[in-house]
């Protein structure tokens, strides 16, 4: 059965669910990752590997690996589909018929599409026959994926495979919202237990008996220990309905009298439930006894759920598990497993830190990031890969709402856990108010209104009798004179005006009381607003005043906009030179707000000088932040000073978001297509088009990661980064909607012209 699609296609040769095996699950997760990140521009199809004929095939192609004639036949079927651009073979020696699975050569001799492989097993020190066969396989391609550096080294040193053939990516993991085990245990009613777990398709290779025998000593130390053995026995090991391996494990439980401390969860769990069990785990026991096991998905999943791990020494664990995230022990050594587990059970802080470190290490190999790595390699193999583009993720407000209390939006987050002790700021609540107003304008979702009111009330609570604002309120709703004096209050005050103007700009769809409250606060701030001096503060205030003036024309507000931007224009005239057309001798954060301010001043006053400077300064900023199809954020590691080289790394979401907002304003004003193209390039930074090729948001919760460093992503999801990501995503959604309306309109005009 062939699926019909106009998209370019990748065909995966693999087992696939409902078949229960690690490779089937791996392929399913890989495809989901690619579909989530790129699915509107590329399709993934399956050539399902089966051991006997299927009466009702459910995939695009089916290959019975026990029937040698089918290998060439299926290759011809794939050749006949012109939309197939690449074939990706998930390779394990036991998947294919013949010696070392050499029936696969019949497929490779016929297939005319580009081919790549993922080697799930890379055996060291091969004999001549195996070495020759592996080299022959790769002669049909110039590309192979492996999942550990050790596998890469074996291919290079033992098989003489060139390094540039090899793409090394980690085993993928699912993104979860971080939570402590105590929180997750409540879902299963095991709050009073110290939970150890192991999961996967059970079999001799899992060596669960080592975990059980170590448990006897663990229970002596921790009587409330509970060992969860999660997963069904591998179906190939159940013969005539007899599950010999599970019976063996149950016999050990009986022998050691561990009935109260062991729970078998004899199910093939859906991913979400499995991840919940792992999040409820205090210690994960990885007991595999295969010294040549190249990679383990179960081990990777446990790390991604913040489990501190006690693990057998196999190539994967030795490469990944450092002493800050777990403990390595000898294969099958129950004494070492017990001692390591007891050490962790004795130290809650150690467990927590190890779990967090494991969690951080695996974010880079989320399935979304693995998808990006796959596509980057695919593009080298496919003739025309320009049509493969990012798909925008769904708009998600879960983390925004999690960060919000009755008082306002909390300032910081430790990973995804709001840090209430960090208090609240005018800055963050102003940005949140802008974002929720944008979301409400897009959706008119009544569930937004309570949050809009919370953020607006916080701004009102911060306003002083003279119209200006304080910035910081602690977790108990108390002001702190010292902290409010330490920060640049002009910037935060001006953001408050921006937020208030945003509310007024959508007053026609808001409850009247909300619009009136925002208008009153903004009008009360005008006397203070006249006195603003710093360039960015002028920009933020101008934006709010412009939005207010556009909704409720006001000569006084227009005069303030002109007065403020005259100051900004003076800054430009003082600092701008032929090669540095800017308002200061350096570029710092939120730079886009400065040319945007000039734009609003032009739109209000119609003075040509404002338009000239707006366009000049934006062109200059673009020249410093765009390199081809890449957006390069100004680093906060010293900023970018005139007549010097820009610093590297230290990239923050706020600057990406502000650039998108600025370009959107210029596009709205002038309809220049280039601005729209540049917006898309900048937003791709969030989606993984950055120097680490990693997503900068949590796809489950909508949380925005705090920063992009040289070698890692800062996984804390504070208010600023989360709201900045949301704001950018909402702008791109509006852009997408406007494009979808234009295309049918253009088609209608074309049809009319043809008909006439």
């Amino acid at each position: 059965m062939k699926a019909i699609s106009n998209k370019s296609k990748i065909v995966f040769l693999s087992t696939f669910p409902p078949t229960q095996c690690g490779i089937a699950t791996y392929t399913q997760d890989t495809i989901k990752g690619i579909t989530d990140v790129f699915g509107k521009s590329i399709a993934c199809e399956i050539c399902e590997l089966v051991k006997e004929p299927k009466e009702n095939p459910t995939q695009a192609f089916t290959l019975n690996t026990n029937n040698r004639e089918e290998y060439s036949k299926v290759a011809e079927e794939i050749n006949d589909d012109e939309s197939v651009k690449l074939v990706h073979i998930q390779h394990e020696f036991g998947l294919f018929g013949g010696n070392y699975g050499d029936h696969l050569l019949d497929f490779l001799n016929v297939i005319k599409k580009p081919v790549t492989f993922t080697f799930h097993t890379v055996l060291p020190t091969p004999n001549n026959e195996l070495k020759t066969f592996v080299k022959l396989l790769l002669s049909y391609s110039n590309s192979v994926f492996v999942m550990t550096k050790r596998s890469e080294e074996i291919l290079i040193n033992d098989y003489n495979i060139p390094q540039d053939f090899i793409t090394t990516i980690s085993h993928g993991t699912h993104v979860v919202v971080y939570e402590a085990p105590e929180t997750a245990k409540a879902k299963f009613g095991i709050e009073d237990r110290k939970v150890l777990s192991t999961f996967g398709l059970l079999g001799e290779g899992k060596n669960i008996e080592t975990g059980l025998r170590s448990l006897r000593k663990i229970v002596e130390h921790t009587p409330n220990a509970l060992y969860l053995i999660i997963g069904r026995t591998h179906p190939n090991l159940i013969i005539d309905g007899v599950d010999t391996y599970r019976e063996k494990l149950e016999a050990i439980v009986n022998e050691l009298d561990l009935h109260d401390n062991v729970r078998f969860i004899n199910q093939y769990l859906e991913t979400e439930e499995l991840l919940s069990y792992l999040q409820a785990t205090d210690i994960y026991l990885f007991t595999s006894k295969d010294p040549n096991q190249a990679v383990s998905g179960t081990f990777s999943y446990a790390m991604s759920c913040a489990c501190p791990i006690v693990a057998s020494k196999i190539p994967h664990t030795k490469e990944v598990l450092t002493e800050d995230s777990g403990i390595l022990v000898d294969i099958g050594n129950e004494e070492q497993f017990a001692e390591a587990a007891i050490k962790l059970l004795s130290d809650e802080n150690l467990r927590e830190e190890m779990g967090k470190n494991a969690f951080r290490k695996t974010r880079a190999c989320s399935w979304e990031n693995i998808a990006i790595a796959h596509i980057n390699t695919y593009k080298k193999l496919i003739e025309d890969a320009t049509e493969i583009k990012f798909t925008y993720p769904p708009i998600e407000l879960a983390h925004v709402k999690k960060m919000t209390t009755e008082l306002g939006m909390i300032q910081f987050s430790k990973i995804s856990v709001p840090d209430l002790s960090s208090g609240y700021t005018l800055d963050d609540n102003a940005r949140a108010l802008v974002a929720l107003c944008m979301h409400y304008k897009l959706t008119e979702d009544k569930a937004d209104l309570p949050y809009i009111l919370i953020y607006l009330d916080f701004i009102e609570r911060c306003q002083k009798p003279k119209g200006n604002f304080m910035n910081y309120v602690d977790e108990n709703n108390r002001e702190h004179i010292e902290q409010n004096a330490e920060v640049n209050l002009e910037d935060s005050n001006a953001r408050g005006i921006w937020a208030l103007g945003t509310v007024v700009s959508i007053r026609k769809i808001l409850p009247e009381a909300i619009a009136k409250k925002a208008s009153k606060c903004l009008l009360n701030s005008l006397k203070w607003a006249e006195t603003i001096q710093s360039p960015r503060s002028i920009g933020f205030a101008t934006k709010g005043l412009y939005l207010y003036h556009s909704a409720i024309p006001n000569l006084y507000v227009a005069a303030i906009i002109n007065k403020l931007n005259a100051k900004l224009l003076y800054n430009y005239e003082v600092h701008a030179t032929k090669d540095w057309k800017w308002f200061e001798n350096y570029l710092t954060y939120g730079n886009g707000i400065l040319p945007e301010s000039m734009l609003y001043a032009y739109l209000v006053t119609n003075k040509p000088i404002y338009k000239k400077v707006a366009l000049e300064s934006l062109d200059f900023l673009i020249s410093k932040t765009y390199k081809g199809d890449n957006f390069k954020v100004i680093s906060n590691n010293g900023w970018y000073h005139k007549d010097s080289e820009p610093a590297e790394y230290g990239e923050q979401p706020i600057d990406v978001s502000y650039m998108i907002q600025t370009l959107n304003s210029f596009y709205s004003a002038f309809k220049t297509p280039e601005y729209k193209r540049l917006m898309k390039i900048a937003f791709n930074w969030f989606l993984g088009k950055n120097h680490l090729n990693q997503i900068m948001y949590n796809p489950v919760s909508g949380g925005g990661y705090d920063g992009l460093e040289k070698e890692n992503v800062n996984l804390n999801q504070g208010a600023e980064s989360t709201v900045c990501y949301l704001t950018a995503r909402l702008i791109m959604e509006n852009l997408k909607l406007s494009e979808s309306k234009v295309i049918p309109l253009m088609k209608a005009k074309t049809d009319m012209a043809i008909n006439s």
Side-chain angles (χ1 to χ4, degrees):
M1 182 189 78
K2 288 191 178 183
I4 298 173
S5 173
N6 295 322
K7 302 178 191 175
S8 295
K9 300 174 188 173
I10 310 294
V11 171
F12 288 78
L13 257 69
S14 178
T15 54
F16 203 73
T19 297
Q20 296 178 11
C21 77
I23 291 177
T25 304
Y26 179 87
T27 302
Q28 182 183 51
D29 288 334
T30 300
I31 288 174
K32 185 179 185 303
I34 292 172
T35 302
D36 286 348
V37 180
F38 300 98
K40 293 200 173 167
S41 62
I42 194 162
C44 296
E45 291 186 343
I46 295 295
C47 176
E48 185 176 10
L49 303 179
V50 298
K51 295 294 185 182
E52 55 189 31
K54 291 192 78 168
E55 289 186 11
N56 298 301
T58 55
Q59 301 300 336
F61 307 95
T62 304
L63 170 56
N64 178 1
T65 57
N66 286 332
N67 182 350
R68 188 162 186 176
E69 293 179 359
E70 286 203 13
Y71 287 84
S72 56
K73 178 186 172 186
V74 171
E76 290 285 10
E77 290 178 6
I78 295 173
N79 286 338
D80 289 343
D81 189 338
E82 293 183 1
S83 60
V84 174
K85 304 301 181 185
L86 179 71
V87 175
H88 191 152
I89 300 171
Q90 301 296 314
H91 184 270
E92 182 69 80
F93 293 105
L95 286 180
F96 303 98
N99 188 32
Y100 290 124
D102 62 2
H103 290 178
L104 179 59
L105 297 174
D106 295 356
F107 176 90
L108 294 169
N109 283 323
V110 174
I111 195 72
K112 294 178 181 178
K113 308 289 185 179
V115 171
T116 187
F117 297 86
T118 291
F119 280 179
H120 289 264
T121 295
V122 182
L123 295 172
T125 61
N127 59 35
N128 287 335
E129 186 180 10
L130 176 58
K131 180 176 179 178
T132 300
F133 176 66
V134 169
K135 294 186 74 171
L136 180 59
L137 279 182
L138 290 180
S139 71
Y140 290 89
S141 175
N142 60 358
S143 169
V144 60
F145 291 86
V146 294
M147 284 176 263
T148 64
K149 287 292 183 185
R150 176 61 181 150
S151 294
E152 177 184 334
E153 291 167 2
I154 293 171
L155 282 179
I156 294 169
N157 298 326
D158 293 6
Y159 293 85
N160 305 124
I161 304 301
Q163 187 169 12
D164 59 5
F165 272 42
I166 306 168
T167 300
T168 302
I169 56 173
S170 299
H171 192 291
T173 59
H174 296 279
V175 175
V176 299
V177 176
Y178 173 82
E179 61 182 10
E182 300 311 314
T183 306
K185 287 176 187 178
K187 301 171 188 174
F188 304 106
I190 51 176
E191 300 96 316
D192 59 338
R193 308 299 292 268
K194 292 299 181 190
V195 177
L196 301 90
S197 72
T198 300
F199 90 92
L201 290 172
L202 304 190
E204 292 288 348
K206 295 286 186 188
N207 198 21
I208 305 296
E209 50 269 42
T210 295
L212 287 173
R213 295 196 183 280
S214 69
L215 185 63
R216 178 173 51 181
K217 188 173 181 180
I218 294 169
V219 169
E220 291 175 7
H221 175 272
T222 308
N224 68 335
L226 176 64
Y227 187 20
L228 302 178
I229 300 172
I230 306 166
R232 301 181 66 180
T233 305
H234 198 292
N236 294 347
L237 300 179
I238 301 176
I239 301 171
D240 297 328
V242 178
D243 189 343
T244 305
Y245 185 66
R246 188 172 298 274
E247 289 177 355
K248 174 183 173 181
L249 298 180
E250 289 171 346
I252 295 173
V253 173
N254 289 331
E255 172 196 340
L256 301 178
D257 192 21
L258 293 172
H259 302 91
D260 292 337
N261 302 96
V262 176
R263 185 177 299 176
F264 288 95
I265 301 169
N266 187 11
Q267 300 174 54
Y268 191 77
L269 298 178
E270 293 297 323
T271 300
E272 188 173 339
E273 187 174 7
L274 169 62
L275 297 176
S276 293
Y277 270 115
L278 291 175
Q279 287 181 288
T281 295
D282 292 291
I283 302 172
Y284 187 81
L285 299 182
F286 179 77
T287 53
S288 171
K289 65 179 181 182
D290 181 0
N292 291 320
Q293 184 177 353
V295 68
S296 168
T298 62
F299 168 75
S300 297
Y301 283 15
M303 287 191 71
S304 75
C305 290
C307 298
I309 297 178
V310 180
S312 302
K313 295 174 183 174
I314 67 166
H316 189 191
T317 61
K318 286 193 288 185
E319 185 171 306
V320 174
L321 195 66
T322 51
E323 62 183 13
D324 64 347
S325 53
I327 300 174
L328 288 169
V329 299
D330 293 331
I331 290 175
N333 192 319
E334 59 196 63
E335 288 295 320
Q336 290 183 14
F337 268 99
E339 289 171 10
I342 290 169
K343 177 181 178 180
L344 294 179
L345 288 168
S346 303
D347 192 335
E348 184 176 348
N349 290 333
L350 179 62
R351 289 199 312 277
E352 182 179 349
E353 283 308 305
M354 281 189 170
K356 287 180 178 178
N357 289 332
F359 180 89
R360 292 186 183 103
K361 284 183 180 182
T362 52
R363 285 313 82 186
C365 51
S366 71
W367 285 114
E368 290 80 4
N369 291 335
I370 296 304
I372 294 167
H374 275 88
I375 292 294
N376 286 343
T377 295
Y378 291 167
K379 285 180 176 179
K380 300 172 186 175
L381 306 174
I382 298 172
E383 277 190 19
D384 183 11
T386 56
E387 293 305 309
I388 302 177
K389 297 177 180 177
F390 288 107
T391 293
Y392 295 162
I395 295 166
E396 177 57 70
L397 302 184
H399 191 61
V400 167
K401 293 180 178 181
K402 185 178 181 180
M403 291 286 288
T404 304
T405 70
E406 292 181 357
L407 180 57
M409 182 170 242
I410 300 165
Q411 186 174 189
F412 297 134
S413 176
K414 295 178 179 177
I415 306 182
S416 56
V417 179
D419 180 8
L420 189 57
S421 68
S422 66
Y424 306 82
T425 67
L426 175 65
D427 272 337
D428 293 326
N429 283 273
R431 280 187 285 254
L433 182 55
V434 169
L436 264 290
C437 285
M438 290 173 63
H439 188 265
Y440 186 68
K441 184 178 179 182
L442 178 71
T443 66
E444 293 200 35
D445 183 351
K446 300 298 183 185
D448 291 344
L449 293 175
Y451 293 90
I452 289 172
L453 187 57
I454 286 171
Y455 306 138
L456 178 58
D457 283 347
F458 185 86
I459 294 174
E460 183 185 50
R461 185 253 182 272
C462 290
Q463 191 164 36
K464 298 295 189 181
K466 293 184 178 180
N468 60 325
F469 305 85
M470 64 176 175
N471 186 51
Y472 180 77
V473 174
D474 74 10
E475 60 186 291
N476 298 311
N477 197 16
R478 296 176 303 194
E479 300 177 29
H480 284 248
I481 295 174
E482 299 82 5
Q483 281 194 265
N484 280 310
E486 287 173 2
V487 296
N488 183 348
L489 286 182
E490 267 202 350
D491 274 12
S492 58
N493 274 238
R495 282 197 195 91
I497 293 173
W498 169 21
L500 295 169
T502 301
V503 176
V504 174
S505 73
I506 62 166
R507 73 193 195 287
K508 291 182 179 179
I509 61 172
L510 286 172
E512 185 179 0
I514 289 178
K516 281 187 173 180
K517 181 179 291 193
S519 183
K520 180 182 177 183
C521 284
L522 187 142
L523 293 174
N524 287 342
S525 73
L526 293 181
K527 281 292 182 186
W528 172 83
E530 284 190 71
T531 67
I532 296 174
Q533 299 296 325
S534 71
R536 277 160 193 75
S537 303
I538 288 173
F540 297 132
T542 295
K543 192 167 187 174
L545 295 172
Y546 171 79
L547 289 168
Y548 180 92
H549 179 68
S550 299
I552 306 174
N554 183 305
L555 290 176
Y556 180 34
V557 170
I560 295 175
I561 291 172
N562 184 47
K563 180 178 180 180
L564 292 176
N565 284 275
K567 299 177 189 177
L568 193 56
L569 179 62
Y570 175 76
N571 268 55
Y572 185 82
E573 291 170 340
V574 168
H575 294 99
T577 62
K578 179 183 177 183
D579 299 320
W580 187 267
K581 295 187 179 299
W582 198 242
F583 305 85
E584 301 164 308
N585 286 329
Y586 41 78
L587 294 166
T588 59
Y589 82 100
N591 298 293
I593 195 64
L594 303 184
E596 195 175 349
S597 187
M598 290 278 99
L599 171 65
Y600 294 135
Y602 164 68
L603 294 175
V604 169
T605 67
N606 207 31
K607 291 183 179 180
I609 186 62
Y610 287 145
K611 179 181 179 181
K612 175 177 179 292
V613 172
L615 293 170
E616 279 183 359
S617 58
L618 178 60
D619 286 347
F620 172 77
L621 181 59
I622 289 169
S623 75
K624 297 302 181 184
T625 51
Y626 283 85
K627 307 296 179 188
D629 286 338
N630 292 287
F631 181 71
K632 190 66 176 173
V633 181
I634 300 298
S635 169
N636 65 4
N637 296 327
W639 305 120
Y640 183 0
H641 291 263
K642 185 177 181 180
D643 299 325
S644 67
E645 290 298 313
E648 290 287 314
Y649 315 115
E651 301 180 24
Q652 295 186 306
I654 186 172
D655 295 293
V656 188
S657 184
Y658 279 167
M659 191 62 169
I660 291 168
Q661 292 175 53
T662 297
L663 289 166
N664 185 53
S665 297
F666 275 78
Y667 179 70
S668 297
F670 302 119
K671 302 302 178 188
T672 306
E674 179 67 1
Y675 294 144
K676 185 164 63 172
R677 187 182 76 86
L678 293 173
M679 287 164 64
K680 293 176 180 178
I681 291 174
F683 190 72
N684 285 348
W685 180 92
F686 286 108
L687 303 181
K689 194 74 161 62
N690 50 61
H691 74 269
L692 290 183
N693 294 314
Q694 293 186 31
I695 59 172
M696 290 300 298
Y697 63 96
N698 184 310
V700 177
S701 67
Y705 296 142
D706 276 358
L708 182 69
E709 304 301 335
K710 181 177 182 180
E711 296 178 348
N712 67 284
V713 172
N714 182 339
L715 297 178
N716 293 333
Q717 294 150 56
E720 177 185 288
S721 52
T722 293
V723 171
C724 284
Y725 165 69
L726 174 61
T727 303
R729 177 65 188 88
L730 290 167
I731 289 173
M732 301 313 292
E733 186 69 11
N734 278 314
L735 188 68
K736 184 177 72 172
L737 291 173
S738 67
E739 288 178 335
S740 67
K741 291 174 183 175
V742 168
I743 291 171
L745 180 62
M746 291 174 63
K747 184 179 184 301
K749 287 181 177 179
T750 303
D751 291 344
M752 288 173 63
I754 291 170
N755 293 331
S756 64

